[in-house]
Short mmCIF file of all heavy atoms in Angstrom, two decimals:
data_model
loop_
_atom_site.label_atom_id
_atom_site.label_comp_id
_atom_site.label_asym_id
_atom_site.label_seq_id
_atom_site.Cartn_x
_atom_site.Cartn_y
_atom_site.Cartn_z
N ILE I 13 29.65 -10.20 -21.62
CA ILE I 13 30.08 -11.18 -20.66
C ILE I 13 29.26 -12.51 -20.83
O ILE I 13 29.84 -13.64 -20.80
CB ILE I 13 30.05 -10.70 -19.19
CG1 ILE I 13 30.98 -9.52 -18.99
CG2 ILE I 13 30.22 -11.84 -18.20
CD1 ILE I 13 32.48 -9.92 -19.04
N THR I 14 27.96 -12.35 -20.97
CA THR I 14 27.10 -13.55 -21.22
C THR I 14 27.56 -14.36 -22.40
O THR I 14 27.66 -15.59 -22.36
CB THR I 14 25.62 -13.12 -21.31
OG1 THR I 14 25.22 -12.48 -20.05
CG2 THR I 14 24.74 -14.33 -21.57
N VAL I 15 27.78 -13.60 -23.53
CA VAL I 15 28.26 -14.29 -24.76
C VAL I 15 29.58 -14.92 -24.51
O VAL I 15 29.74 -16.14 -24.90
CB VAL I 15 28.30 -13.30 -25.95
CG1 VAL I 15 28.94 -13.95 -27.20
CG2 VAL I 15 26.86 -12.77 -26.31
N PHE I 16 30.53 -14.23 -24.00
CA PHE I 16 31.87 -14.79 -23.79
C PHE I 16 31.81 -16.04 -22.91
O PHE I 16 32.44 -17.05 -23.17
CB PHE I 16 32.79 -13.75 -23.17
CG PHE I 16 33.08 -12.59 -24.09
CD1 PHE I 16 33.24 -11.38 -23.50
CD2 PHE I 16 33.09 -12.68 -25.45
CE1 PHE I 16 33.55 -10.21 -24.35
CE2 PHE I 16 33.42 -11.57 -26.23
CZ PHE I 16 33.59 -10.36 -25.76
N MET I 17 31.08 -15.98 -21.73
CA MET I 17 31.02 -17.01 -20.82
C MET I 17 30.24 -18.19 -21.38
O MET I 17 30.50 -19.35 -21.02
CB MET I 17 30.41 -16.57 -19.50
CG MET I 17 31.35 -15.62 -18.77
SD MET I 17 32.95 -16.21 -18.48
CE MET I 17 32.64 -17.62 -17.46
N ASP I 18 29.33 -17.94 -22.26
CA ASP I 18 28.60 -19.12 -22.92
C ASP I 18 29.60 -19.94 -23.74
O ASP I 18 29.59 -21.09 -23.78
CB ASP I 18 27.49 -18.59 -23.87
CG ASP I 18 26.69 -19.69 -24.42
OD1 ASP I 18 26.11 -20.49 -23.68
OD2 ASP I 18 26.59 -19.81 -25.70
N ILE I 19 30.52 -19.19 -24.40
CA ILE I 19 31.58 -19.97 -25.23
C ILE I 19 32.51 -20.71 -24.23
O ILE I 19 32.78 -21.93 -24.49
CB ILE I 19 32.41 -18.89 -26.02
CG1 ILE I 19 31.56 -18.26 -27.02
CG2 ILE I 19 33.63 -19.62 -26.65
CD1 ILE I 19 32.19 -17.03 -27.74
N VAL I 20 32.90 -20.04 -23.19
CA VAL I 20 33.84 -20.66 -22.20
C VAL I 20 33.06 -21.96 -21.61
O VAL I 20 33.76 -22.99 -21.43
CB VAL I 20 34.27 -19.72 -21.15
CG1 VAL I 20 35.05 -20.47 -20.02
CG2 VAL I 20 35.22 -18.67 -21.80
N ASN I 21 31.88 -21.75 -21.23
CA ASN I 21 31.18 -22.80 -20.45
C ASN I 21 30.80 -24.03 -21.36
O ASN I 21 30.76 -25.17 -20.95
CB ASN I 21 29.96 -22.28 -19.78
CG ASN I 21 30.31 -21.53 -18.53
OD1 ASN I 21 31.10 -21.85 -17.76
ND2 ASN I 21 29.63 -20.28 -18.41
N ARG I 22 30.43 -23.74 -22.65
CA ARG I 22 29.86 -24.75 -23.52
C ARG I 22 30.90 -25.49 -24.38
O ARG I 22 30.64 -26.55 -24.93
CB ARG I 22 28.72 -24.16 -24.37
CG ARG I 22 27.55 -23.77 -23.44
CD ARG I 22 26.42 -23.14 -24.26
NE ARG I 22 25.96 -24.09 -25.32
CZ ARG I 22 25.28 -23.72 -26.44
NH1 ARG I 22 24.99 -22.43 -26.56
NH2 ARG I 22 24.88 -24.64 -27.32
N TYR I 23 31.99 -24.86 -24.58
CA TYR I 23 32.96 -25.41 -25.63
C TYR I 23 34.37 -25.58 -24.96
O TYR I 23 34.70 -24.84 -24.09
CB TYR I 23 33.10 -24.46 -26.86
CG TYR I 23 31.75 -24.23 -27.51
CD1 TYR I 23 30.96 -23.15 -27.22
CD2 TYR I 23 31.23 -25.22 -28.37
CE1 TYR I 23 29.70 -22.91 -27.85
CE2 TYR I 23 29.94 -25.04 -28.98
CZ TYR I 23 29.27 -23.92 -28.70
OH TYR I 23 28.02 -23.71 -29.28
N ASP I 24 35.06 -26.51 -25.53
CA ASP I 24 36.38 -26.80 -25.00
C ASP I 24 37.42 -25.93 -25.75
O ASP I 24 38.21 -26.35 -26.63
CB ASP I 24 36.75 -28.30 -25.31
CG ASP I 24 38.06 -28.66 -24.76
OD1 ASP I 24 38.66 -28.07 -23.79
OD2 ASP I 24 38.66 -29.73 -25.18
N VAL I 25 37.40 -24.59 -25.41
CA VAL I 25 38.25 -23.65 -26.06
C VAL I 25 39.60 -23.52 -25.28
O VAL I 25 39.58 -23.66 -24.08
CB VAL I 25 37.59 -22.31 -26.28
CG1 VAL I 25 36.43 -22.40 -27.15
CG2 VAL I 25 37.18 -21.68 -24.91
N GLU I 85 35.84 -13.86 -14.18
CA GLU I 85 34.75 -14.84 -14.36
C GLU I 85 35.19 -16.07 -15.09
O GLU I 85 34.83 -17.19 -14.81
CB GLU I 85 33.51 -14.13 -14.99
CG GLU I 85 32.79 -13.17 -14.02
CD GLU I 85 31.52 -12.71 -14.54
OE1 GLU I 85 30.87 -13.40 -15.37
OE2 GLU I 85 31.04 -11.60 -14.16
N MET I 86 35.97 -15.83 -16.18
CA MET I 86 36.49 -16.99 -16.93
C MET I 86 37.38 -17.88 -16.14
O MET I 86 37.24 -19.10 -16.17
CB MET I 86 37.23 -16.35 -18.18
CG MET I 86 37.52 -17.37 -19.24
SD MET I 86 38.33 -16.53 -20.59
CE MET I 86 39.97 -16.39 -19.98
N VAL I 89 35.82 -20.29 -13.61
CA VAL I 89 35.18 -21.45 -14.26
C VAL I 89 36.24 -22.41 -14.84
O VAL I 89 36.20 -23.61 -14.62
CB VAL I 89 34.12 -21.04 -15.30
CG1 VAL I 89 33.58 -22.25 -16.02
CG2 VAL I 89 33.03 -20.20 -14.64
N LYS I 90 37.18 -21.85 -15.63
CA LYS I 90 38.21 -22.64 -16.33
C LYS I 90 39.51 -21.92 -16.21
O LYS I 90 39.87 -21.13 -17.13
CB LYS I 90 37.74 -22.86 -17.77
CG LYS I 90 36.53 -23.80 -17.94
CD LYS I 90 36.32 -24.14 -19.43
CE LYS I 90 35.07 -25.03 -19.57
NZ LYS I 90 34.83 -25.33 -21.03
#
Side-chain angles (χ1 to χ4, degrees):
I13 294 293
T14 298
V15 171
F16 296 146
M17 290 306 297
D18 185 58
I19 294 168
V20 170
N21 285 317
R22 294 178 58 197
Y23 301 97
D24 184 23
V25 295
E85 290 191 22
M86 192 178 79
V89 174
K90 291 186 179 176

